[in-house]
Every structure is written in structure tokens, then in C-alpha cells.
């Protein structure tokens, strides 16, 4: 039985009026394609200006900015692993993305947070494995932390939706 604080939705993460959305960013934190591009477009140029002050982000780590023109108050930027066969620490790095993003939410007293399917686009992480890491890592974190009220996984394809659906 999965945690009642976990939810699954299809759609565009940039539309959510919640405390924080997570960005699947790259190490430069200067914008990019996919969900990163969508978040920067919706947030406006002030987001890039704040990101430029952060000096990048390592894979598995996370950094927070304001949300600017987004309906979400904050953006937590994390950098997923690029899939290269699974022997380069990709599972641990992906789990760290979820854990470190959630820890930033707790530190900033943020209660509602949404994740995209980190690394499941250009970074080519196998979907079923990535979904399991997302759900397991988040569930484990919530068992130890009561301040976060809702974590929504927002996905954009049928395949990814089905992978999460089986786990939730
Ligand atoms: P990564 O480089 O970490 O693989 P991508 O942005 O390429 O990140 O893809 C991550 C996932 O986010 C993909 O499944 C992609 O389809 C999805 N995605 C793209 N745009 C959005 C959006 N606006 N809202 C939610 N998910 C999105």
C-alpha cells in the first residue's frame, strides 16, 4: 500500500500552484530542453538570473530558487544522471536527486512538491527502473519526515504514467 501523501498526475508541471516544483536541470543550471526549458519559459528571465548566481549543481544534488512568474512559489533544481548502462552509479545518483530535493523542501518548510520523471527524457534512464527509484526513495523519505504533505509525480507520457501507476 503506497503512502497517501503520494499522487500521480499527467500534464504540465509548470501549471501547478503549489509550494515547489522540481526541475530536471543540467549541471550548468542555465536552462535547456525538456522540462527545464518549459520551466524557464514559464518562470521568465528572472529565473535564469537567479540560476546564474548558483554556480551550477552536481548530479544528484539540488538547489532552490524562487518561482517568479510560475504559479509555484519555488523551483528546486536537481540534476539527474545520464544513463550509461547502470554501472556508473546511476541508481544512487537518481535516488539522491529525490532525497536531496525533498530535504530542501523540509529545510524551507515547503509542504506541497511535484517531481517530473527525472532523467527519463534526454538522459535516457530506463523508465520502469526510474519510476521504482522515484517512488521507493520518496516513500522512504516520507516515513521519516512528517512535514511534507503531498508529493505529486507529474508525467508526460503513457509509458511513464503506466510505470508509476503500477507502483502507487
Ligand atoms: P532529463 O534530461 O532529466 O532526462 P527531460 O526534461 O529531457 O529531463 O525529461 C524528463 C521528463 O520530463 C520526460 O519524461 C519529459 O517528457 C518530461 N517533461 C517534459 N516537459 C514536461 C512538463 N512541462 N511537465 C512535466 N513533465 C515534462
Amino acid at each position: 500500500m503506497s503512502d497517501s501523501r503520494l499522487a500521480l498526475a499527467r500534464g504540465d508541471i509548470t501549471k501547478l500552484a503549489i509550494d515547489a516544483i522540481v526541475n530536471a536541470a543540467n549541471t550548468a543550471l542555465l536552462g535547456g530542453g525538456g522540462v527545464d526549458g518549459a520551466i524557464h519559459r514559464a518562470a521568465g528571465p528572472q529565473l535564469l538570473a537567479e540560476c546564474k548566481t548558483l554556480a551550477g549543481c552536481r548530479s544528484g544534488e539540488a538547489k532552490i530558487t524562487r518561482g517568479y512568474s510560475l504559479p509555484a512559489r519555488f523551483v528546486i533544481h536537481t540534476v539527474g544522471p545520464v544513463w550509461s548502462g547502470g554501472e556508473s552509479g546511476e541508481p544512487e545518483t537518481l535516488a539522491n536527486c529525490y532525497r536531496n530535493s525533498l530535504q530542501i523542501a523540509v529545510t524551507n518548510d515547503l509542504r506541497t512538491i511535484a517531481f517530473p520523471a527525472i532523467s527519463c527524457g534526454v538522459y535516457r534512464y530506463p523508465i520502469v527502473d526510474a519510476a521504482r527509484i522515484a517512488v521507493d526513495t520518496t516513500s522512504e523519505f516520507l516515513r521519516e519526515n512528517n512535514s511534507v504533505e503531498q508529493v505529486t509525480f507529474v508525467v508526460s507520457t503513457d509509458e511513464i504514467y503506466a510505470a508509476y501507476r503500477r507502483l502507487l
Side-chain angles (χ1 to χ4, degrees):
M1 198 61 188
S2 70
D3 194 302
S4 63
R5 291 170 287 176
L6 295 181
L8 175 62
R10 269 200 76 155
D12 181 355
I13 201 168
T14 68
K15 305 290 188 206
L16 300 186
I18 57 176
D19 288 338
I21 61 172
V22 175
N23 182 15
N26 54 52
T27 54
L29 292 188
L30 298 179
V35 72
D36 193 7
I39 287 172
H40 275 273
R41 276 193 299 278
Q46 288 171 296
L47 178 60
L48 181 59
E50 185 174 357
C51 283
K52 282 181 177 164
T53 70
L54 298 178
C57 184
R58 293 195 190 89
S59 295
E61 296 184 357
K63 294 188 176 180
I64 190 168
T65 65
R66 305 201 66 86
Y68 301 101
S69 297
L70 288 164
R73 292 166 57 214
F74 294 93
V75 180
I76 297 170
H77 306 262
T78 189
V79 182
V82 177
W83 180 259
S84 58
E87 304 293 318
S88 305
E90 295 96 326
E92 294 77 12
T93 302
L94 187 59
N96 285 339
C97 288
Y98 286 93
R99 215 177 281 123
N100 288 326
S101 296
L102 289 161
Q103 187 55 56
I104 284 184
V106 169
T107 302
N108 289 276
D109 204 26
L110 307 180
R111 315 221 159 212
T112 53
I113 170 170
F115 284 98
I118 299 164
S119 287
C120 290
V122 185
Y123 286 0
R124 302 182 319 270
Y125 207 106
I127 304 293
V128 169
D129 296 335
R132 188 176 306 108
I133 289 169
V135 171
D136 286 355
T137 308
T138 303
S139 301
E140 191 179 305
F141 188 93
L142 293 181
R143 275 199 290 279
E144 311 286 325
N145 289 271
N146 291 320
S147 64
V148 174
E149 290 168 3
Q150 176 120 78
V151 177
T152 307
F153 298 107
V154 180
V155 304
S156 55
T157 72
D158 288 337
E159 184 189 6
I160 301 176
Y161 186 90
Y164 278 88
R165 193 76 201 87
R166 270 181 239 112
L167 302 167
L168 292 169

